[in-house]
Amino acid sequence: MDSRARSAKYRVERQVLDEQRLEELTRRKTLSEIHKPLTDRLKDTFRCTLPKLKRSVMSSCPVLYWLPKYSVWDYGMPDLVSGISVGIMHLPQGLAYALLASVPPVFGLYTSLYPALIYFFFGTSRHNSIGTFTVLSIMVGSVTERLAPDEFFLKTNGTNLTLEMDVAARDAYRVQVAAATTFLGGLIQVLLGVIKFGFVGTYLSEPLVRAYTSAAAAHAVVAQLKYLFKVSPKRFTGPLSQVYTLVDLCLSLPKTHLPTLLVSSVTIVLLTGAKELNSFLSTKLPVPIPVELITIVAATLLSSTIHLNNNYSVSVVGEIPSGLSAPSVPNLSLFGDVIGDAFALAIVGYAVSISLGKTFALKHGYKVDSNQELVALGLSNAVGSFFQCFSVCSSMSRSLVQETTGGKTQMAGVASALIVLVTILKLGMLFQELPKAVLASIVLVNLKGMFKQYSDVVTLWRRSKIDLAVWLVTWVSTMLLNLDLGLAASIAFALFTVTFRTQMPTYSVLGNVPGTELYVDIETHREAREVPGVTIFRSSATVYFANAELYLEALKEKSGLDIGKMIIYKRRQEAKQRRRERRAKRRAKRQAKGEKRAQKAAEQHSGPPEISVEESLGKWTWDIHSIILDLSTANFIDTVAIQTLKNIFRDFSEIDVDIYFSGCQASVVEQLERGDFFSETLRKQHLFVSVHDAVLYCLNHRGAASLPRYDPTQA
């Protein structure tokens, strides 16, 4: 910093301002002027004008705003290159993540197609790639396997009377479950967006989201092990189901199918090496090498050549129907069974998408509308469910590729959707011999980034123990309680930590920095000096019902005045004094023998003597005549806090200690007015715009002869 800036000084000369004087100077508006009547607000809301209608249509369908301005020469080629790159990634990820969702692979391709086209019309992020995402696929898979377990679809073979799986019926029902869950989740997102609840994603803090996705990655690993080893573990549901599943998998390892394990191992090794090479060459390549696509093409060719399925019993994808399926209405009867999972999917999907969208928007200088993103994502899910898609959101890997390869607008999403469409129509059948173990290996390798998030534990240990607690509780609850209950428990714990921190804030007594109007904590600043006769008390959090009593207790401790005991002692002393007076009067009457003597006695005891605080409270001594409550940290105040402040003012007045308030925001003053805070004794003159104003007022107008008039800035 420039030395001249460090040595710069300023001097301001003005009156000491309390709240009443400030309102007179600034001509503050009345409450009726600030807040219009409800009828007027409803009229403004529903009044329809042409400009308002145009803004509403443009905001509801953003493509109408930016598409007419789209420049093919400037944006066409970058969007095309970016879209092709992302489309190539869609293919292996769509096929692989369909396994996570426990539906046939072709539905992963459908999920990569329809939602991306819907988002093109309603989305506001230029770089988000909508489609399959690991965590959401796992969450959908937990629902489909819970409501459509393998045991429900066993049938007796008519030839040898053995039980066999009706795979077609099972897959068809799981698709219905996934579509119903997706539709309900999309509907929830649309409703939240319409009522402007876009801020709901802020309740998912970064440690919570990272821990949740790390735990979801562990769920994905457990879910894919059966494909990697070709074993058939039992299906468990409810709390601790992952533990039971993992134990059963370990018990099933002796039954591992060695050819499948060999395919899995080779794929993981080669894919990991290729990805590392891709990262190493990323700065020298215009677009990333599509290693997943190369992997599935090579694996499909190899499987077809040596007939892995027929000769070695390696499970393959199987029939992939060509062409698009007809739309169908989701099964409404399933809504009651999936509503909790749908809500979790809606919140997690939105949180991931909006965080990515805002990151890219900040980097490239445009705005993402959080409420419109909710609507866009909800419509993508709701409309996609009619085409048997499962839940979607933005993918971090694909969105980064779309941004780094030069994507400029949502047209890149259309280009990627066209790549998927061509694959579905013409190329899908070519992947019928693709081993499922290869898709499981792709999922496993793609989880590497989420596994790296476990290093957050070390980082958070150094930075914030509370955030570390949120991370650990989220991870443990998600692992033990499954994805839906784990998310609910995680959010509840995160909100509890916020409440806990407001209940246990830092309370401090402020002192003046000599020669300035600054006031800092005297316990943490050596040069801070207490103002003679004045205690300045501040809480680091707003005062409300959960910490109002703690606020009062801290004030007693910091000021050294146990007001409750002092008032009780004072009232006892006053009662004793009154009893002494009554006894003295009775004694005087008995001893009165003459008019002169009676008159003299009456004059001596004509009225109760004044009781000074010092005499009544001789048990305590203090040198405080004023207490200033700094409320600058309060952004709201409720009725319990208002009553607490009124009690503080009343009780301390009984021991002749004045109470003043400083730093109240306009909204807090308004809430105080509505809460009948002010009275004949407690007026706005007790509220000051700053601590310094309050200090000057209470020192120079207290009327205490024993204390000199004092100006801290001249100290």
Side-chain angles (χ1 to χ4, degrees):
M1 184 182 293
D2 192 349
S3 60
R4 290 178 297 178
R6 288 178 178 271
S7 61
K9 298 181 179 180
Y10 70 91
R11 182 180 182 88
V12 177
E13 185 173 340
R14 63 169 173 81
Q15 294 178 334
V16 173
L17 292 178
D18 55 38
E19 189 64 33
Q20 185 67 41
R21 179 59 180 158
L22 180 65
E23 291 182 5
E24 294 172 358
L25 286 176
T26 59
R27 298 175 63 190
R28 181 186 168 195
K29 296 179 180 179
T30 62
L31 292 179
S32 59
E33 292 175 318
I34 298 173
H35 302 286
K36 294 181 180 180
L38 180 60
T39 55
D40 292 346
R41 281 181 282 169
L42 289 175
K43 288 179 182 178
D44 292 340
T45 301
F46 294 104
R47 182 180 291 115
C48 183
T49 61
L50 187 59
K52 185 176 180 180
L53 178 62
K54 183 179 178 180
R55 286 196 303 270
S56 178
V57 172
M58 291 290 188
S59 62
S60 300
C61 191
V63 69
L64 298 177
Y65 173 77
W66 63 265
L67 189 58
K69 303 178 182 179
Y70 187 81
S71 173
V72 177
W73 296 108
D74 294 334
Y75 303 146
M77 186 55 66
D79 282 343
L80 181 61
V81 172
S82 177
I84 292 174
S85 302
V86 173
I88 290 173
M89 292 184 66
H90 265 302
L91 301 179
Q93 290 186 4
L95 294 170
Y97 293 164
L99 290 184
L100 287 177
S102 298
V103 296
V106 68
F107 293 97
L109 296 179
Y110 294 158
T111 304
S112 301
L113 172 62
Y114 295 107
L117 295 176
I118 300 300
Y119 186 83
F120 166 78
F121 293 98
F122 300 100
T124 59
S125 174
R126 303 175 188 174
H127 298 93
N128 276 0
S129 174
I130 299 297
T132 55
F133 182 60
T134 314
V135 176
L136 295 193
S137 301
I138 300 166
M139 296 173 73
V140 172
S142 68
V143 183
T144 55
E145 292 192 8
R146 186 184 78 238
L147 297 181
D150 293 342
E151 296 79 19
F152 287 6
F153 300 93
L154 295 176
K155 63 180 182 179
T156 304
N157 190 318
T159 304
N160 51 18
L161 299 180
T162 58
L163 292 177
E164 63 180 21
M165 179 75 62
D166 189 348
V167 177
R170 182 200 64 182
D171 289 347
Y173 190 67
R174 285 182 174 180
V175 169
Q176 289 186 34
V177 173
T181 308
T182 301
F183 176 78
L184 193 55
L187 190 61
I188 291 171
Q189 289 173 328
V190 172
L191 291 177
L192 290 176
V194 169
I195 62 177
K196 309 299 182 184
F197 257 54
F199 64 87
V200 71
T202 60
Y203 289 107
L204 302 181
S205 64
E206 183 179 1
L208 189 151
V209 172
R210 291 175 69 86
Y212 186 79
T213 53
S214 299
H219 277 262
V221 171
V222 174
Q224 296 306 298
L225 289 177
K226 61 183 179 182
Y227 297 111
L228 297 176
F229 296 98
K230 198 185 178 183
V231 294
S232 300
K234 297 178 182 178
R235 170 67 186 170
F236 298 94
T237 59
L240 301 179
S241 61
Q242 289 299 305
V243 177
Y244 298 143
T245 302
L246 193 58
V247 170
D248 195 59
L249 274 168
C250 293
L251 295 176
S252 302
L253 287 181
K255 303 177 183 178
T256 299
H257 188 244
L258 293 180
T260 301
L261 179 61
L262 179 62
V263 171
S264 304
S265 303
V266 171
T267 303
I268 291 174
V269 171
L270 294 178
L271 192 58
T272 303
K275 278 186 167 291
E276 291 298 324
L277 180 63
N278 208 5
S279 300
F280 178 74
L281 299 175
S282 60
T283 57
K284 302 177 181 179
L285 297 174
V287 294
I289 301 173
V291 291
E292 289 101 340
L293 182 62
I294 294 173
T295 300
I296 65 171
V297 170
T300 302
L301 292 175
L302 183 63
S303 176
S304 301
T305 303
I306 63 178
H307 304 288
L308 287 177
N309 184 27
N310 296 328
N311 296 337
Y312 302 98
S313 300
V314 175
S315 298
V316 295
V317 169
E319 183 181 358
I320 297 180
S322 60
L324 301 175
S325 61
S328 60
V329 179
N331 190 344
L332 304 182
S333 63
L334 294 170
F335 284 3
D337 297 324
V338 302
I339 185 169
D341 304 279
F343 187 80
L345 282 163
I347 299 301
V348 173
Y350 170 68
V352 172
S353 294
I354 196 63
S355 60
L356 281 174
K358 287 187 174 181
T359 300
F360 292 127
L362 183 65
K363 181 177 180 179
H364 294 276
Y366 62 91
K367 182 180 179 182
V368 170
D369 186 338
S370 57
N371 293 310
Q372 182 59 29
E373 281 297 295
L374 256 178
V375 173
L377 200 59
L379 289 174
S380 299
N381 280 311
V383 175
S385 66
F386 284 86
F387 297 91
Q388 295 82 49
C389 300
F390 52 88
S391 293
V392 299
C393 70
S394 301
S395 164
M396 184 178 299
S397 59
R398 292 195 308 271
S399 298
L400 285 173
V401 169
Q402 183 166 319
E403 188 252 350
T404 54
T405 53
K408 302 295 183 182
T409 68
Q410 292 91 320
M411 287 295 291
V414 176
S416 65
L418 291 177
I419 298 295
V420 178
L421 178 62
V422 171
T423 303
I424 294 173
L425 295 177
K426 300 296 182 183
L427 305 178
M429 62 184 69
L430 300 179
F431 295 108
Q432 293 180 1
E433 293 298 319
L434 174 64
K436 288 185 178 180
V438 173
L439 294 178
S441 302
I442 291 174
V443 171
L444 203 64
V445 173
N446 283 339
L447 292 174
K448 184 183 70 171
M450 292 187 182
F451 292 146
K452 289 182 179 180
Q453 294 178 163
Y454 285 95
S455 63
D456 291 353
V457 174
V458 178
T459 304
L460 293 176
W461 173 262
R462 296 195 302 264
R463 294 180 179 178
S464 172
K465 300 299 189 294
I466 292 181
D467 284 341
L468 175 61
V470 171
W471 199 102
L472 293 175
V473 169
T474 300
W475 191 89
V476 171
S477 61
T478 304
M479 288 300 300
L480 299 183
L481 302 179
N482 289 336
L483 295 168
D484 48 355
L485 294 179
L487 178 63
S490 304
I491 295 176
F493 182 77
L495 295 178
F496 168 75
T497 62
V498 175
T499 305
F500 174 76
R501 279 183 275 191
T502 59
Q503 279 188 292
M504 305 294 290
T506 301
Y507 297 105
S508 54
V509 173
L510 306 185
N512 177 248
V513 179
T516 73
E517 78 288 354
L518 304 178
Y519 294 83
V520 294
D521 188 353
I522 60 175
E523 293 183 0
T524 58
H525 297 81
R526 295 188 182 90
E527 295 300 320
R529 299 289 181 265
E530 289 191 66
V531 180
V534 179
T535 294
I536 307 168
F537 180 73
R538 182 172 66 188
S539 167
S540 62
T542 190
V543 187
Y544 69 114
F545 71 91
N547 63 7
E549 185 176 350
L550 298 174
Y551 183 86
L552 177 58
E553 294 299 322
L555 176 60
K556 294 177 184 178
E557 179 184 349
K558 293 292 185 178
S559 65
L561 303 177
D562 193 338
I563 188 65
K565 292 182 178 179
M566 294 171 74
I567 290 176
I568 292 173
Y569 182 79
K570 176 186 176 183
R571 289 172 181 171
R572 287 177 179 174
Q573 292 298 96
E574 290 175 343
K576 289 181 182 179
Q577 183 68 15
R578 287 193 294 269
R579 288 195 295 271
R580 285 195 294 266
E581 292 169 6
R582 287 195 295 269
R583 287 196 297 268
K585 287 182 180 180
R586 289 195 296 268
R587 191 165 51 249
K589 289 179 181 180
R590 287 194 302 267
Q591 294 176 355
K593 295 181 179 179
E595 183 178 348
K596 184 176 180 180
R597 192 172 181 180
Q599 182 179 359
K600 183 178 180 181
E603 290 175 353
Q604 292 175 350
H605 303 284
S606 58
E610 293 185 0
I611 304 172
S612 66
V613 174
E614 289 77 10
E615 292 172 350
S616 299
L617 302 178
K619 184 178 179 180
W620 286 277
T621 58
W622 66 92
D623 57 356
I624 298 173
H625 62 67
S626 301
I627 293 177
I628 299 171
L629 303 181
D630 181 10
L631 300 179
S632 58
T633 58
N635 60 341
F636 73 93
I637 196 163
D638 61 8
T639 55
V640 176
I642 290 175
Q643 188 59 48
T644 300
L645 296 178
K646 291 171 72 172
N647 293 342
I648 290 173
F649 183 86
R650 179 198 63 202
D651 294 343
F652 278 88
S653 296
E654 288 201 33
I655 61 171
D656 200 28
V657 174
D658 292 338
I659 300 293
Y660 301 96
F661 307 91
S662 69
C664 294
Q665 301 179 31
S667 59
V668 174
V669 175
E670 180 182 325
Q671 291 165 10
L672 291 174
E673 291 176 342
R674 291 180 175 178
D676 297 328
F677 180 72
F678 301 107
S679 61
E680 293 183 1
T681 55
L682 180 53
R683 302 182 300 275
K684 286 189 177 180
Q685 283 81 354
H686 290 87
L687 273 66
F688 290 88
V689 298
S690 69
V691 171
H692 192 59
D693 288 89
V695 168
L696 293 178
Y697 178 85
C698 67
L699 286 181
N700 297 326
H701 296 79
R702 177 62 166 84
S706 60
L707 292 170
R709 296 175 69 84
Y710 174 79
D711 183 354
T713 59
Q714 303 301 321

